[in-house]
Amino acid sequence: MKFFIDSVDIEAIKKFTLSGMVDGVTTNPSIIAKSGRDFKEVIREICSIVPGPVSAEVTATKASQMIEEGEVLSKLAKNVTVKVPLTWDGLEACKRLADQNIMVNVTLCFSAQQALLAAKAGAAFISPFIGRLDDLGEDGMDLIKDIRAIYDNYSNLKTEILAASIRTPDHVRRAAILGADVSTLPPTVLEELAIHPLTDKGLKAFLDDWEKTGQNII
Ligand code: E4P
């Protein structure tokens, strides 16, 4: 499974790159607004650190304007993936950008049939929002399961399933079991993935015993 960082936190992106955990980055207008950073500048900066796909979202709602914005964003760096919403305008923009060999991430997906449309429009990635479905009392993972089953039925569909709105380590575990291609993670969730109390307890015991030996490795 690939991991994308769902953030423009440059320090976090650099930190997790050191351990080989960053296969790409996703952003959205809310993340940009919260960061206070200039959109194009931060996308360029992230693309200079991460060679994998970096999603930058259009903000127009009409297909023709989405395409214009997508063309501008795609010129920021060669690894920019243009993100469009799952509307009919977004699907048209997806098709026309994909026809220009621009990678497109179709976002705000909440049903398997929406995911089927995105794949037919040539999306490189479909972003089902797990946490937001959970917020409504549904099990967001059912959507990953359905999309995986549908895509696996048709070998001509090449779209990757990018599990988004991931809130917990357990979301990552379940998305991986169900065969999502990518999870996009806030840095806090990625941080938590390595943590287990028995690891900490076991390490403490090993180090205490090692100290008793009075030895050094170096
Ligand atoms: C994905 O591309 C989105 O940026 C993100 O995962 C949305 O997550 P949220 O529902 O926690 O805002």
Side-chain angles (χ1 to χ4, degrees):
M1 170 178 263
K2 285 177 263 191
F3 285 166
F4 289 0
I5 303 282
D6 196 26
S7 170
V8 295
D9 180 339
I10 301 294
E11 290 317 307
I13 290 168
K14 285 182 178 166
K15 173 187 158 179
F16 289 114
T17 295
L18 293 176
S19 47
M21 296 299 155
V22 185
D23 300 301
V25 171
T26 51
T27 68
N28 64 41
S30 303
I31 288 172
I32 299 296
K34 199 170 162 196
S35 75
R37 293 283 313 263
D38 178 83
F39 180 32
K40 292 179 190 170
E41 182 190 280
V42 77
I43 293 293
R44 274 196 209 96
E45 185 176 356
I46 294 169
C47 287
S48 72
I49 301 165
V50 178
V54 175
S55 289
E57 188 161 342
V58 301
T59 53
T61 53
K62 294 284 170 231
S64 57
Q65 291 161 356
M66 286 184 192
I67 293 162
E68 277 178 40
E69 288 186 357
E71 287 168 352
V72 168
L73 293 173
S74 73
K75 288 187 178 76
L76 294 176
K78 63 177 187 325
N79 51 330
V80 165
T81 298
V82 175
K83 210 172 178 191
V84 303
L86 211 155
T87 59
W88 279 112
D89 282 278
L91 291 167
E92 182 183 332
C94 174
K95 164 81 176 123
R96 291 176 51 196
L97 290 166
D99 284 349
Q100 296 181 51
N101 290 319
I102 293 172
M103 289 211 300
V104 181
N105 174 0
V106 179
T107 190
L108 291 168
C109 171
F110 293 96
S111 76
Q113 54 272 32
Q114 285 182 317
L116 179 57
L117 298 180
K120 286 180 68 66
F125 300 101
I126 182 67
S127 290
F129 275 38
I130 305 310
R132 293 191 194 190
L133 284 168
D134 287 359
D135 291 344
L136 298 180
E138 295 184 31
D139 184 352
M141 276 310 150
D142 287 344
L143 179 54
I144 299 287
K145 193 175 176 182
D146 286 354
I147 299 172
R148 183 73 281 157
I150 290 171
Y151 284 6
D152 286 350
N153 279 343
Y154 304 100
S155 59
N156 60 321
L157 300 180
K158 304 294 183 202
T159 305
E160 292 190 50
I161 302 172
L162 195 171
S165 190
I166 292 278
R167 307 270 172 79
T168 65
D170 200 53
H171 277 152
V172 182
R173 178 185 71 83
R174 293 179 68 199
I177 288 171
L178 291 170
D181 301 286
V182 189
S183 278
T184 189
L185 311 171
T188 46
V189 176
L190 182 47
E191 183 77 40
E192 282 179 65
L193 284 182
I195 296 169
H196 196 288
L198 289 179
T199 304
D200 296 340
K201 190 178 169 193
L203 179 59
K204 185 178 179 319
F206 285 158
L207 294 180
D208 288 348
D209 287 342
W210 178 248
E211 204 174 323
K212 288 177 206 156
T213 70
Q215 298 180 52
N216 291 305
I217 294 175
I218 294 172

